[in-house]
Amino acid sequence: MSTLNTSQNSISPNPGLVKAWISAFRPRTLPLALSCIGMGAFMAAANGYFSAVVVALCVLTTLFLQILSNLANDYGDSKNGADSVHREGPMRAVQAGHIQAEQMKKGMLVFSLLSLLSGLLLLWVAFGTEGLMLFLVFLGLGLASIWAAINYTAGDKPYGYAGLGDIFVFVFFGLVGVLGTYFLQAQELQSLVILPALVCGFFSTAVLNVNNIRDINSDKLAGKRSVPVRLGQKKARVYHLMLLFGGVLSAFAYVLFNYESPWQFLFVLALPLVLVNGVNVWQKQTSKELDPYLKQMAMTTLLFVLLFGIGQVI
């Protein structure tokens, strides 16, 4: 494999198999996976439906799905050329040769099975033997989630390369994650819960957008038509500000429609971090400068959800 053009991307010594797999799991993305589950759990608790066992199984299943998605992304981007000598972001495990492609495929299979088994246990705990129809509906959603996790970049026709990743992230990390977690506890939906779901959808898509702005040049060369590739650098940053504004507006809308206490505005404490992300994504131009704001946005989303959820519960 050729040596990369920048010192950031020079091939590092093999870190060892365990560390390589942990790196491939991409731990810094996991807080984002927890955000939608946390939001659904807080909304259920605020309405008197909280179930610790259901939430714990939601967390476990979502973590398995997120790791599956990360492994599939590592494998798919290497196979399809997005992870190449032109990539400016962090080097991935298959690209660096730390994990062989066939090993990565086996890892994807393991986490597909773990996601399925954890999901089946979750549905059995939530619905028992009496809610067969609901069990089947959520099983379908679970299988769709596994399909989406794999086919983002690793399928025969990866939808991430067609620029559809934003839609899938918005749906699965927003609507499905939050509303699904809420419904699995309450077994009913409150219409206003869609607003907190939109918060997670907008912010999760913003995390993906930072990633795609960072990788815009290598994605363009690989034929990956992400939203930033389609829009261009400047419009992609405008789009990013719109995503952040949409998340904040959805939070304010929920509180205003459901106002009971000033504590419900606790989430405003996280707004400076949202602003920091927006300003820096607008101003920073190089991939190296942008990369820290991917993790920063993921952590900001988790903090925003915690503050928002606590404010609704107390």
Side-chain angles (χ1 to χ4, degrees), residues 14-181:
N14 196 314
L17 198 56
V18 173
K19 288 184 177 180
W21 277 106
I22 292 174
S23 177
F25 292 168
R26 302 185 198 176
R28 69 177 182 171
T29 67
L30 301 184
L32 185 65
L34 298 177
S35 297
C36 60
I37 304 303
M39 184 69 88
F42 277 122
M43 291 302 97
N47 289 284
Y49 297 116
F50 181 77
S51 169
V53 176
V54 169
V55 171
L57 287 171
C58 283
V59 167
L60 185 62
T61 304
T62 302
L63 288 177
F64 286 152
L65 283 169
Q66 181 61 49
I67 292 172
L68 169 62
S69 178
N70 292 339
L71 298 182
N73 184 242
D74 196 312
Y75 172 80
D77 275 349
S78 178
K79 181 182 74 170
N80 294 309
D83 286 348
S84 68
V85 295
H86 302 290
R87 178 181 169 83
E88 297 177 86
M91 183 174 284
R92 302 305 184 198
V94 174
Q95 175 196 12
H98 297 158
I99 297 174
Q100 298 302 310
E102 287 303 313
Q103 291 177 308
M104 189 63 77
K105 288 175 69 175
K106 291 177 182 178
M108 291 162 55
L109 176 60
V110 168
F111 277 93
S112 295
L113 292 174
L114 288 174
S115 300
L116 179 60
L117 292 173
S118 179
L120 288 171
L121 179 58
L122 167 62
L123 297 183
W124 183 80
V125 170
F127 301 128
T129 57
E130 298 178 357
L132 179 60
M133 186 57 67
L134 288 173
F135 186 101
L136 293 175
V137 169
F138 273 83
L139 177 59
L141 286 173
L143 293 174
S145 297
I146 293 173
W147 179 91
I150 294 173
N151 285 276
Y152 174 57
T153 59
D156 292 332
K157 295 182 179 180
Y159 62 86
Y161 281 72
L164 300 177
D166 292 50
I167 296 173
F168 278 78
V169 166
F170 186 88
V171 169
F172 283 98
F173 281 84
L175 303 181
V176 172
V178 176
L179 299 179
T181 301

Side-chain angles (χ1 to χ4, degrees), residues 207-226:
V207 174
L208 176 63
N209 193 52
V210 177
N211 180 85
N212 289 340
I213 293 174
R214 182 198 65 190
D215 294 342
I216 189 170
N217 293 325
S218 57
D219 285 349
K220 190 181 299 184
L221 288 170
K224 187 176 182 179
R225 302 286 292 168
S226 66

Side-chain angles (χ1 to χ4, degrees), residues 1 3 6 20 55 80 146 155 162 180 184 203-204 224 229 308 313:
M1 183 175 289
T3 302
T6 65
V55 171
N80 294 309
I146 293 173
L184 285 166
F203 283 174
S204 297
K224 187 176 182 179
V229 169
F308 182 90
V313 172

